[in-house]
Amino acid sequence: MEHTVVASGLTLHYGSTRALEDVGFALRPGTTGLLGPNGAGKTTLLRILATALLPRSGDLSILGYDPATPEGRLAVRRRLGFLPQNPGYYAHFTAFDFVDYVAILKEMSDRASRREEVRRVLEQVGLTADAGKRLRTLSGGMRQRVGLAAALIGDPPLLILDEPTVGLDPEQRLRFRELLAELGETRTVLLSTHQTEDVIMVCQQVVVLHQGRVRYDGTPADLTRLAHQRVWLSDARPERMLASWRAGDGRYRSIGDPPPDAELVEPTIEDGYLTLVEAHPAVTSR
């Protein structure tokens, strides 16, 4: 399949702070998870992909367009759906009015066809029955669905989602995952998240950003395998490990270099992610 996004050498500094340094990756149709600790540069990268920022250097192609040019930025924005972590809802708007407002901003001037499109995306996210409710009366999960509906206006081939499952309860997160998996069948979805379980459930590709650099680009299964034979169980807390905690059965589950004859267990994607991040100690900017 052809690449939807191709980035090479993306670099951006804020004064002496390195936000991104020589970042490169490629996205194909499907769902890609973007992982990284706080301060890794994820938000900066998403803003660049959403054409809200320009990198200091590097090359970027989005849907075949160059966002460094005014014409390219406009073309990308017309084909992009973006759900920021804090969409800035107008609490007195109804769900329908908010999505309709976004449709107007996306240059849908014909009222009849625009409202038909608003009804379509609200139905797609399961909010037809709640379209007339004011946003301030909706639950956090329902407001996230309103934001996603707004991002889906115009059926964009590229969808960028920043922490869409934050604050959702387990059932809401499950329903949202179902929807994300469905959306990834017909377009390119980039999902920035701290929830590694979201990645293992719905993503075919994962990119790990740490200290402004891409530290991993591959499958969730291969990320998990980075912790192969590095996770073990013990009755007492070991002295040397990356992390250790007491599990529900009273035993300690530890990650790191196991002692001889340790009782090894299968790693999770969280174990692989921690192993990867801990391999790159923090660097102080100068």
Side-chain angles (χ1 to χ4, degrees), residues 45-94:
L45 178 58
L46 294 186
R47 293 185 67 193
I48 288 174
L49 296 179
T51 74
L53 276 179
L54 287 175
R56 186 179 71 175
S57 60
D59 297 313
L60 179 61
S61 172
I62 303 177
L63 300 168
Y65 299 99
D66 181 2
T69 67
E71 298 82 6
R73 283 195 296 276
L74 181 59
V76 170
R77 288 169 183 172
R78 286 172 171 167
R79 295 162 177 81
L80 168 72
F82 181 41
L83 176 60
Q85 185 174 354
N86 299 301
Y89 298 111
Y90 296 99
H92 63 284
F93 275 25
T94 65

mmCIF file of all heavy atoms in Angstrom, residues 45-94:
data_model
loop_
_atom_site.group_PDB
_atom_site.id
_atom_site.type_symbol
_atom_site.label_atom_id
_atom_site.label_comp_id
_atom_site.label_asym_id
_atom_site.label_seq_id
_atom_site.Cartn_x
_atom_site.Cartn_y
_atom_site.Cartn_z
ATOM 1 N N LEU A 45 4.875 16.929 17.355
ATOM 2 C CA LEU A 45 4.791 16.173 16.107
ATOM 3 C C LEU A 45 3.376 16.192 15.545
ATOM 4 O O LEU A 45 3.179 16.393 14.335
ATOM 5 C CB LEU A 45 5.241 14.736 16.348
ATOM 6 C CG LEU A 45 5.168 13.804 15.135
ATOM 7 C CD1 LEU A 45 6.000 14.334 13.978
ATOM 8 C CD2 LEU A 45 5.593 12.395 15.521
ATOM 9 N N LEU A 46 2.377 16.022 16.396
ATOM 10 C CA LEU A 46 0.987 16.042 15.924
ATOM 11 C C LEU A 46 0.626 17.403 15.347
ATOM 12 O O LEU A 46 -0.089 17.490 14.338
ATOM 13 C CB LEU A 46 0.032 15.682 17.062
ATOM 14 C CG LEU A 46 0.111 14.260 17.614
ATOM 15 C CD1 LEU A 46 -0.993 14.033 18.625
ATOM 16 C CD2 LEU A 46 0.034 13.224 16.511
ATOM 17 N N ARG A 47 1.093 18.464 15.963
ATOM 18 C CA ARG A 47 0.802 19.807 15.450
ATOM 19 C C ARG A 47 1.461 20.034 14.095
ATOM 20 O O ARG A 47 0.898 20.709 13.224
ATOM 21 C CB ARG A 47 1.265 20.866 16.452
ATOM 22 C CG ARG A 47 0.480 20.875 17.762
ATOM 23 C CD ARG A 47 0.903 22.024 18.649
ATOM 24 N NE ARG A 47 0.541 23.305 18.063
ATOM 25 C CZ ARG A 47 0.998 24.482 18.473
ATOM 26 N NH1 ARG A 47 1.886 24.528 19.467
ATOM 27 N NH2 ARG A 47 0.611 25.597 17.904
ATOM 28 N N ILE A 48 2.630 19.458 13.888
ATOM 29 C CA ILE A 48 3.274 19.551 12.577
ATOM 30 C C ILE A 48 2.453 18.780 11.541
ATOM 31 O O ILE A 48 2.200 19.277 10.436
ATOM 32 C CB ILE A 48 4.716 19.027 12.644
ATOM 33 C CG1 ILE A 48 5.598 20.019 13.416
ATOM 34 C CG2 ILE A 48 5.282 18.795 11.244
ATOM 35 C CD1 ILE A 48 7.006 19.519 13.654
ATOM 36 N N LEU A 49 2.023 17.569 11.894
ATOM 37 C CA LEU A 49 1.234 16.771 10.958
ATOM 38 C C LEU A 49 -0.124 17.409 10.673
ATOM 39 O O LEU A 49 -0.679 17.234 9.589
ATOM 40 C CB LEU A 49 1.038 15.364 11.519
ATOM 41 C CG LEU A 49 2.311 14.529 11.689
ATOM 42 C CD1 LEU A 49 1.969 13.166 12.288
ATOM 43 C CD2 LEU A 49 3.040 14.359 10.365
ATOM 44 N N ALA A 50 -0.652 18.153 11.640
ATOM 45 C CA ALA A 50 -1.927 18.852 11.446
ATOM 46 C C ALA A 50 -1.747 20.205 10.771
ATOM 47 O O ALA A 50 -2.711 20.965 10.659
ATOM 48 C CB ALA A 50 -2.632 19.022 12.787
ATOM 49 N N THR A 51 -0.524 20.520 10.367
ATOM 50 C CA THR A 51 -0.147 21.761 9.661
ATOM 51 C C THR A 51 -0.291 23.006 10.522
ATOM 52 O O THR A 51 -0.363 24.114 10.002
ATOM 53 C CB THR A 51 -0.932 21.951 8.341
ATOM 54 O OG1 THR A 51 -2.278 22.336 8.609
ATOM 55 C CG2 THR A 51 -0.905 20.691 7.479
ATOM 56 N N ALA A 52 -0.306 22.849 11.848
ATOM 57 C CA ALA A 52 -0.356 24.008 12.741
ATOM 58 C C ALA A 52 1.032 24.546 13.049
ATOM 59 O O ALA A 52 1.172 25.677 13.513
ATOM 60 C CB ALA A 52 -1.067 23.643 14.037
ATOM 61 N N LEU A 53 2.072 23.731 12.802
ATOM 62 C CA LEU A 53 3.456 24.124 13.003
ATOM 63 C C LEU A 53 4.275 23.707 11.788
ATOM 64 O O LEU A 53 3.931 22.733 11.110
ATOM 65 C CB LEU A 53 4.054 23.430 14.230
ATOM 66 C CG LEU A 53 3.832 24.012 15.625
ATOM 67 C CD1 LEU A 53 4.513 23.107 16.652
ATOM 68 C CD2 LEU A 53 4.361 25.427 15.730
ATOM 69 N N LEU A 54 5.353 24.422 11.546
ATOM 70 C CA LEU A 54 6.310 24.020 10.528
ATOM 71 C C LEU A 54 7.615 23.630 11.218
ATOM 72 O O LEU A 54 8.066 24.329 12.129
ATOM 73 C CB LEU A 54 6.577 25.149 9.536
ATOM 74 C CG LEU A 54 5.467 25.482 8.536
ATOM 75 C CD1 LEU A 54 5.854 26.700 7.706
ATOM 76 C CD2 LEU A 54 5.181 24.290 7.630
ATOM 77 N N PRO A 55 8.247 22.520 10.810
ATOM 78 C CA PRO A 55 9.530 22.161 11.405
ATOM 79 C C PRO A 55 10.620 23.121 10.955
ATOM 80 O O PRO A 55 10.497 23.784 9.924
ATOM 81 C CB PRO A 55 9.776 20.748 10.865
ATOM 82 C CG PRO A 55 9.041 20.721 9.568
ATOM 83 C CD PRO A 55 7.823 21.577 9.773
ATOM 84 N N ARG A 56 11.687 23.204 11.745
ATOM 85 C CA ARG A 56 12.809 24.042 11.348
ATOM 86 C C ARG A 56 13.514 23.459 10.132
ATOM 87 O O ARG A 56 14.006 24.194 9.267
ATOM 88 C CB ARG A 56 13.802 24.175 12.511
ATOM 89 C CG ARG A 56 14.943 25.161 12.238
ATOM 90 C CD ARG A 56 15.890 25.280 13.410
ATOM 91 N NE ARG A 56 16.698 24.074 13.569
ATOM 92 C CZ ARG A 56 17.672 23.938 14.463
ATOM 93 N NH1 ARG A 56 17.927 24.927 15.317
ATOM 94 N NH2 ARG A 56 18.356 22.819 14.547
ATOM 95 N N SER A 57 13.555 22.133 10.059
ATOM 96 C CA SER A 57 14.170 21.462 8.921
ATOM 97 C C SER A 57 13.542 20.093 8.763
ATOM 98 O O SER A 57 12.832 19.599 9.640
ATOM 99 C CB SER A 57 15.693 21.333 9.116
ATOM 100 O OG SER A 57 15.981 20.578 10.277
ATOM 101 N N GLY A 58 13.795 19.475 7.614
ATOM 102 C CA GLY A 58 13.257 18.155 7.328
ATOM 103 C C GLY A 58 12.255 18.185 6.198
ATOM 104 O O GLY A 58 11.830 19.252 5.741
ATOM 105 N N ASP A 59 11.883 17.019 5.743
ATOM 106 C CA ASP A 59 10.941 16.865 4.639
ATOM 107 C C ASP A 59 9.695 16.135 5.127
ATOM 108 O O ASP A 59 9.781 15.189 5.917
ATOM 109 C CB ASP A 59 11.587 16.071 3.497
ATOM 110 C CG ASP A 59 12.788 16.795 2.905
ATOM 111 O OD1 ASP A 59 12.671 18.010 2.639
ATOM 112 O OD2 ASP A 59 13.837 16.144 2.736
ATOM 113 N N LEU A 60 8.549 16.568 4.617
ATOM 114 C CA LEU A 60 7.281 15.972 5.028
ATOM 115 C C LEU A 60 6.321 15.955 3.850
ATOM 116 O O LEU A 60 6.098 16.979 3.206
ATOM 117 C CB LEU A 60 6.676 16.764 6.189
ATOM 118 C CG LEU A 60 5.323 16.280 6.738
ATOM 119 C CD1 LEU A 60 5.445 14.869 7.285
ATOM 120 C CD2 LEU A 60 4.820 17.238 7.813
ATOM 121 N N SER A 61 5.759 14.790 3.588
ATOM 122 C CA SER A 61 4.717 14.639 2.574
ATOM 123 C C SER A 61 3.490 14.044 3.243
ATOM 124 O O SER A 61 3.584 13.011 3.917
ATOM 125 C CB SER A 61 5.187 13.717 1.439
ATOM 126 O OG SER A 61 4.124 13.426 0.556
ATOM 127 N N ILE A 62 2.348 14.706 3.096
ATOM 128 C CA ILE A 62 1.093 14.246 3.672
ATOM 129 C C ILE A 62 0.067 14.121 2.559
ATOM 130 O O ILE A 62 -0.261 15.111 1.886
ATOM 131 C CB ILE A 62 0.574 15.210 4.754
ATOM 132 C CG1 ILE A 62 1.615 15.402 5.859
ATOM 133 C CG2 ILE A 62 -0.729 14.693 5.346
ATOM 134 C CD1 ILE A 62 1.197 16.405 6.921
ATOM 135 N N LEU A 63 -0.383 12.897 2.319
ATOM 136 C CA LEU A 63 -1.359 12.635 1.262
ATOM 137 C C LEU A 63 -0.865 13.139 -0.095
ATOM 138 O O LEU A 63 -1.646 13.564 -0.947
ATOM 139 C CB LEU A 63 -2.707 13.279 1.610
ATOM 140 C CG LEU A 63 -3.352 12.792 2.907
ATOM 141 C CD1 LEU A 63 -4.525 13.685 3.309
ATOM 142 C CD2 LEU A 63 -3.820 11.345 2.755
ATOM 143 N N GLY A 64 0.454 13.123 -0.265
ATOM 144 C CA GLY A 64 1.051 13.545 -1.524
ATOM 145 C C GLY A 64 1.296 15.034 -1.634
ATOM 146 O O GLY A 64 1.775 15.497 -2.676
ATOM 147 N N TYR A 65 1.036 15.791 -0.583
ATOM 148 C CA TYR A 65 1.196 17.246 -0.606
ATOM 149 C C TYR A 65 2.338 17.682 0.308
ATOM 150 O O TYR A 65 2.639 17.010 1.301
ATOM 151 C CB TYR A 65 -0.099 17.945 -0.169
ATOM 152 C CG TYR A 65 -1.279 17.656 -1.064
ATOM 153 C CD1 TYR A 65 -2.217 16.678 -0.702
ATOM 154 C CD2 TYR A 65 -1.465 18.332 -2.260
ATOM 155 C CE1 TYR A 65 -3.302 16.393 -1.512
ATOM 156 C CE2 TYR A 65 -2.557 18.053 -3.071
ATOM 157 C CZ TYR A 65 -3.459 17.084 -2.698
ATOM 158 O OH TYR A 65 -4.525 16.805 -3.502
ATOM 159 N N ASP A 66 2.916 18.808 -0.005
ATOM 160 C CA ASP A 66 3.987 19.390 0.795
ATOM 161 C C ASP A 66 3.401 20.481 1.683
ATOM 162 O O ASP A 66 3.075 21.572 1.198
ATOM 163 C CB ASP A 66 5.067 19.980 -0.118
ATOM 164 C CG ASP A 66 6.225 20.591 0.667
ATOM 165 O OD1 ASP A 66 6.193 20.520 1.917
ATOM 166 O OD2 ASP A 66 7.145 21.143 0.034
ATOM 167 N N PRO A 67 3.261 20.241 3.004
ATOM 168 C CA PRO A 67 2.651 21.254 3.883
ATOM 169 C C PRO A 67 3.539 22.462 4.130
ATOM 170 O O PRO A 67 3.112 23.402 4.817
ATOM 171 C CB PRO A 67 2.391 20.478 5.176
ATOM 172 C CG PRO A 67 3.386 19.380 5.162
ATOM 173 C CD PRO A 67 3.590 19.010 3.725
ATOM 174 N N ALA A 68 4.751 22.469 3.578
ATOM 175 C CA ALA A 68 5.610 23.642 3.722
ATOM 176 C C ALA A 68 5.155 24.778 2.811
ATOM 177 O O ALA A 68 5.552 25.923 3.009
ATOM 178 C CB ALA A 68 7.060 23.279 3.411
ATOM 179 N N THR A 69 4.305 24.472 1.827
ATOM 180 C CA THR A 69 3.788 25.504 0.920
ATOM 181 C C THR A 69 2.355 25.853 1.299
ATOM 182 O O THR A 69 1.621 25.001 1.810
ATOM 183 C CB THR A 69 3.812 25.009 -0.531
ATOM 184 O OG1 THR A 69 2.858 23.941 -0.688
ATOM 185 C CG2 THR A 69 5.203 24.509 -0.908
ATOM 186 N N PRO A 70 1.921 27.098 1.060
ATOM 187 C CA PRO A 70 0.536 27.462 1.373
ATOM 188 C C PRO A 70 -0.480 26.579 0.657
ATOM 189 O O PRO A 70 -1.493 26.184 1.243
ATOM 190 C CB PRO A 70 0.441 28.926 0.907
ATOM 191 C CG PRO A 70 1.848 29.431 0.961
ATOM 192 C CD PRO A 70 2.707 28.262 0.596
ATOM 193 N N GLU A 71 -0.206 26.264 -0.602
ATOM 194 C CA GLU A 71 -1.124 25.415 -1.357
ATOM 195 C C GLU A 71 -1.192 24.011 -0.767
ATOM 196 O O GLU A 71 -2.267 23.408 -0.673
ATOM 197 C CB GLU A 71 -0.692 25.346 -2.823
ATOM 198 C CG GLU A 71 -0.698 26.677 -3.562
ATOM 199 C CD GLU A 71 0.563 27.498 -3.296
ATOM 200 O OE1 GLU A 71 1.490 26.974 -2.614
ATOM 201 O OE2 GLU A 71 0.616 28.649 -3.759
ATOM 202 N N GLY A 72 -0.023 23.499 -0.369
ATOM 203 C CA GLY A 72 0.014 22.169 0.226
ATOM 204 C C GLY A 72 -0.698 22.106 1.560
ATOM 205 O O GLY A 72 -1.423 21.142 1.848
ATOM 206 N N ARG A 73 -0.504 23.125 2.394
ATOM 207 C CA ARG A 73 -1.185 23.153 3.692
ATOM 208 C C ARG A 73 -2.692 23.163 3.517
ATOM 209 O O ARG A 73 -3.421 22.462 4.216
ATOM 210 C CB ARG A 73 -0.742 24.382 4.505
ATOM 211 C CG ARG A 73 0.629 24.231 5.138
ATOM 212 C CD ARG A 73 0.875 25.279 6.195
ATOM 213 N NE ARG A 73 0.897 26.630 5.645
ATOM 214 C CZ ARG A 73 1.965 27.185 5.087
ATOM 215 N NH1 ARG A 73 3.098 26.511 4.984
ATOM 216 N NH2 ARG A 73 1.919 28.432 4.631
ATOM 217 N N LEU A 74 -3.189 23.963 2.593
ATOM 218 C CA LEU A 74 -4.625 24.037 2.363
ATOM 219 C C LEU A 74 -5.163 22.692 1.879
ATOM 220 O O LEU A 74 -6.223 22.239 2.338
ATOM 221 C CB LEU A 74 -4.929 25.127 1.342
ATOM 222 C CG LEU A 74 -6.412 25.346 1.007
ATOM 223 C CD1 LEU A 74 -7.198 25.715 2.263
ATOM 224 C CD2 LEU A 74 -6.560 26.432 -0.055
ATOM 225 N N ALA A 75 -4.431 22.044 0.990
ATOM 226 C CA ALA A 75 -4.877 20.750 0.465
ATOM 227 C C ALA A 75 -4.917 19.703 1.570
ATOM 228 O O ALA A 75 -5.851 18.892 1.639
ATOM 229 C CB ALA A 75 -3.951 20.299 -0.664
ATOM 230 N N VAL A 76 -3.912 19.713 2.447
ATOM 231 C CA VAL A 76 -3.889 18.752 3.550
ATOM 232 C C VAL A 76 -5.042 19.018 4.506
ATOM 233 O O VAL A 76 -5.744 18.088 4.937
ATOM 234 C CB VAL A 76 -2.543 18.816 4.302
ATOM 235 C CG1 VAL A 76 -2.607 18.005 5.593
ATOM 236 C CG2 VAL A 76 -1.415 18.319 3.417
ATOM 237 N N ARG A 77 -5.270 20.269 4.865
ATOM 238 C CA ARG A 77 -6.322 20.603 5.824
ATOM 239 C C ARG A 77 -7.699 20.195 5.321
ATOM 240 O O ARG A 77 -8.581 19.863 6.121
ATOM 241 C CB ARG A 77 -6.284 22.105 6.123
ATOM 242 C CG ARG A 77 -5.076 22.507 6.965
ATOM 243 C CD ARG A 77 -4.896 24.007 7.040
ATOM 244 N NE ARG A 77 -3.695 24.351 7.801
ATOM 245 C CZ ARG A 77 -3.211 25.583 7.906
ATOM 246 N NH1 ARG A 77 -3.822 26.601 7.292
ATOM 247 N NH2 ARG A 77 -2.116 25.797 8.619
ATOM 248 N N ARG A 78 -7.891 20.221 4.020
ATOM 249 C CA ARG A 78 -9.180 19.821 3.455
ATOM 250 C C ARG A 78 -9.391 18.315 3.511
ATOM 251 O O ARG A 78 -10.507 17.840 3.339
ATOM 252 C CB ARG A 78 -9.276 20.314 2.016
ATOM 253 C CG ARG A 78 -9.515 21.815 1.908
ATOM 254 C CD ARG A 78 -9.422 22.290 0.475
ATOM 255 N NE ARG A 78 -9.862 23.689 0.353
ATOM 256 C CZ ARG A 78 -9.655 24.433 -0.718
ATOM 257 N NH1 ARG A 78 -9.008 23.937 -1.779
ATOM 258 N NH2 ARG A 78 -10.098 25.683 -0.758
ATOM 259 N N ARG A 79 -8.317 17.565 3.743
ATOM 260 C CA ARG A 79 -8.382 16.098 3.716
ATOM 261 C C ARG A 79 -7.997 15.472 5.052
ATOM 262 O O ARG A 79 -7.800 14.263 5.124
ATOM 263 C CB ARG A 79 -7.455 15.570 2.608
ATOM 264 C CG ARG A 79 -7.910 15.975 1.210
ATOM 265 C CD ARG A 79 -6.780 15.828 0.202
ATOM 266 N NE ARG A 79 -7.227 16.142 -1.143
ATOM 267 C CZ ARG A 79 -7.335 17.381 -1.625
ATOM 268 N NH1 ARG A 79 -7.020 18.417 -0.852
ATOM 269 N NH2 ARG A 79 -7.756 17.601 -2.850
ATOM 270 N N LEU A 80 -7.916 16.285 6.071
ATOM 271 C CA LEU A 80 -7.426 15.843 7.375
ATOM 272 C C LEU A 80 -8.523 15.949 8.431
ATOM 273 O O LEU A 80 -9.258 16.933 8.485
ATOM 274 C CB LEU A 80 -6.227 16.711 7.792
ATOM 275 C CG LEU A 80 -5.733 16.599 9.235
ATOM 276 C CD1 LEU A 80 -5.028 15.267 9.444
ATOM 277 C CD2 LEU A 80 -4.801 17.763 9.566
ATOM 278 N N GLY A 81 -8.604 14.938 9.292
ATOM 279 C CA GLY A 81 -9.451 15.003 10.475
ATOM 280 C C GLY A 81 -8.566 15.010 11.705
ATOM 281 O O GLY A 81 -7.704 14.127 11.847
ATOM 282 N N PHE A 82 -8.740 15.979 12.597
ATOM 283 C CA PHE A 82 -7.855 16.131 13.754
ATOM 284 C C PHE A 82 -8.682 16.268 15.012
ATOM 285 O O PHE A 82 -9.556 17.137 15.109
ATOM 286 C CB PHE A 82 -6.964 17.354 13.564
ATOM 287 C CG PHE A 82 -5.996 17.603 14.697
ATOM 288 C CD1 PHE A 82 -5.315 16.565 15.297
ATOM 289 C CD2 PHE A 82 -5.764 18.898 15.161
ATOM 290 C CE1 PHE A 82 -4.422 16.787 16.336
ATOM 291 C CE2 PHE A 82 -4.868 19.137 16.192
ATOM 292 C CZ PHE A 82 -4.193 18.071 16.779
ATOM 293 N N LEU A 83 -8.410 15.395 15.985
ATOM 294 C CA LEU A 83 -9.046 15.478 17.296
ATOM 295 C C LEU A 83 -7.973 15.788 18.327
ATOM 296 O O LEU A 83 -7.223 14.900 18.749
ATOM 297 C CB LEU A 83 -9.745 14.162 17.650
ATOM 298 C CG LEU A 83 -10.365 14.084 19.052
ATOM 299 C CD1 LEU A 83 -11.433 15.159 19.244
ATOM 300 C CD2 LEU A 83 -10.943 12.699 19.315
ATOM 301 N N PRO A 84 -7.839 17.062 18.754
ATOM 302 C CA PRO A 84 -6.855 17.393 19.791
ATOM 303 C C PRO A 84 -7.293 16.849 21.140
ATOM 304 O O PRO A 84 -8.457 16.485 21.331
ATOM 305 C CB PRO A 84 -6.828 18.928 19.776
ATOM 306 C CG PRO A 84 -8.167 19.318 19.242
ATOM 307 C CD PRO A 84 -8.585 18.239 18.282
ATOM 308 N N GLN A 85 -6.365 16.812 22.083
ATOM 309 C CA GLN A 85 -6.684 16.288 23.410
ATOM 310 C C GLN A 85 -7.727 17.159 24.102
ATOM 311 O O GLN A 85 -8.592 16.648 24.817
ATOM 312 C CB GLN A 85 -5.421 16.196 24.259
ATOM 313 C CG GLN A 85 -5.661 15.542 25.611
ATOM 314 C CD GLN A 85 -4.366 15.335 26.384
ATOM 315 O OE1 GLN A 85 -3.286 15.580 25.877
ATOM 316 N NE2 GLN A 85 -4.480 14.888 27.613
ATOM 317 N N ASN A 86 -7.668 18.471 23.891
ATOM 318 C CA ASN A 86 -8.649 19.399 24.463
ATOM 319 C C ASN A 86 -9.287 20.181 23.323
ATOM 320 O O ASN A 86 -8.797 21.244 22.938
ATOM 321 C CB ASN A 86 -7.968 20.346 25.455
ATOM 322 C CG ASN A 86 -7.343 19.607 26.617
ATOM 323 O OD1 ASN A 86 -8.023 18.912 27.350
ATOM 324 N ND2 ASN A 86 -6.024 19.750 26.781
ATOM 325 N N PRO A 87 -10.390 19.667 22.746
ATOM 326 C CA PRO A 87 -10.959 20.284 21.548
ATOM 327 C C PRO A 87 -11.524 21.685 21.750
ATOM 328 O O PRO A 87 -11.782 22.383 20.775
ATOM 329 C CB PRO A 87 -12.077 19.305 21.157
ATOM 330 C CG PRO A 87 -11.743 18.028 21.842
ATOM 331 C CD PRO A 87 -11.071 18.427 23.115
ATOM 332 N N GLY A 88 -11.777 22.113 22.975
ATOM 333 C CA GLY A 88 -12.340 23.443 23.184
ATOM 334 C C GLY A 88 -13.814 23.499 22.820
ATOM 335 O O GLY A 88 -14.237 24.309 21.999
ATOM 336 N N TYR A 89 -14.593 22.613 23.427
ATOM 337 C CA TYR A 89 -16.028 22.565 23.145
ATOM 338 C C TYR A 89 -16.726 23.840 23.622
ATOM 339 O O TYR A 89 -16.355 24.431 24.629
ATOM 340 C CB TYR A 89 -16.667 21.374 23.867
ATOM 341 C CG TYR A 89 -16.139 20.032 23.445
ATOM 342 C CD1 TYR A 89 -15.365 19.273 24.319
ATOM 343 C CD2 TYR A 89 -16.415 19.508 22.194
ATOM 344 C CE1 TYR A 89 -14.877 18.035 23.950
ATOM 345 C CE2 TYR A 89 -15.933 18.262 21.815
ATOM 346 C CZ TYR A 89 -15.164 17.539 22.695
ATOM 347 O OH TYR A 89 -14.675 16.313 22.331
ATOM 348 N N TYR A 90 -17.770 24.233 22.905
ATOM 349 C CA TYR A 90 -18.651 25.312 23.339
ATOM 350 C C TYR A 90 -19.797 24.658 24.117
ATOM 351 O O TYR A 90 -20.681 24.038 23.531
ATOM 352 C CB TYR A 90 -19.171 26.103 22.151
ATOM 353 C CG TYR A 90 -18.075 26.822 21.398
ATOM 354 C CD1 TYR A 90 -17.530 26.283 20.231
ATOM 355 C CD2 TYR A 90 -17.573 28.037 21.848
ATOM 356 C CE1 TYR A 90 -16.513 26.939 19.547
ATOM 357 C CE2 TYR A 90 -16.567 28.697 21.179
ATOM 358 C CZ TYR A 90 -16.042 28.140 20.023
ATOM 359 O OH TYR A 90 -15.036 28.784 19.355
ATOM 360 N N ALA A 91 -19.768 24.801 25.437
ATOM 361 C CA ALA A 91 -20.646 24.013 26.300
ATOM 362 C C ALA A 91 -22.123 24.241 26.020
ATOM 363 O O ALA A 91 -22.945 23.342 26.230
ATOM 364 C CB ALA A 91 -20.338 24.317 27.767
ATOM 365 N N HIS A 92 -22.480 25.444 25.526
ATOM 366 C CA HIS A 92 -23.898 25.722 25.290
ATOM 367 C C HIS A 92 -24.377 25.200 23.946
ATOM 368 O O HIS A 92 -25.571 25.200 23.662
ATOM 369 C CB HIS A 92 -24.157 27.229 25.388
ATOM 370 C CG HIS A 92 -23.442 28.034 24.347
ATOM 371 N ND1 HIS A 92 -22.088 28.296 24.429
ATOM 372 C CD2 HIS A 92 -23.880 28.612 23.197
ATOM 373 C CE1 HIS A 92 -21.722 29.021 23.380
ATOM 374 N NE2 HIS A 92 -22.787 29.221 22.619
ATOM 375 N N PHE A 93 -23.448 24.742 23.081
ATOM 376 C CA PHE A 93 -23.830 24.156 21.801
ATOM 377 C C PHE A 93 -24.428 22.771 22.035
ATOM 378 O O PHE A 93 -24.051 22.056 22.962
ATOM 379 C CB PHE A 93 -22.609 23.987 20.894
ATOM 380 C CG PHE A 93 -22.232 25.201 20.097
ATOM 381 C CD1 PHE A 93 -22.569 26.476 20.512
ATOM 382 C CD2 PHE A 93 -21.513 25.069 18.917
ATOM 383 C CE1 PHE A 93 -22.206 27.591 19.789
ATOM 384 C CE2 PHE A 93 -21.151 26.170 18.172
ATOM 385 C CZ PHE A 93 -21.499 27.443 18.602
ATOM 386 N N THR A 94 -25.349 22.390 21.165
ATOM 387 C CA THR A 94 -25.746 20.990 21.125
ATOM 388 C C THR A 94 -24.681 20.216 20.352
ATOM 389 O O THR A 94 -23.832 20.806 19.661
ATOM 390 C CB THR A 94 -27.092 20.805 20.423
ATOM 391 O OG1 THR A 94 -26.963 21.180 19.036
ATOM 392 C CG2 THR A 94 -28.178 21.650 21.092
#
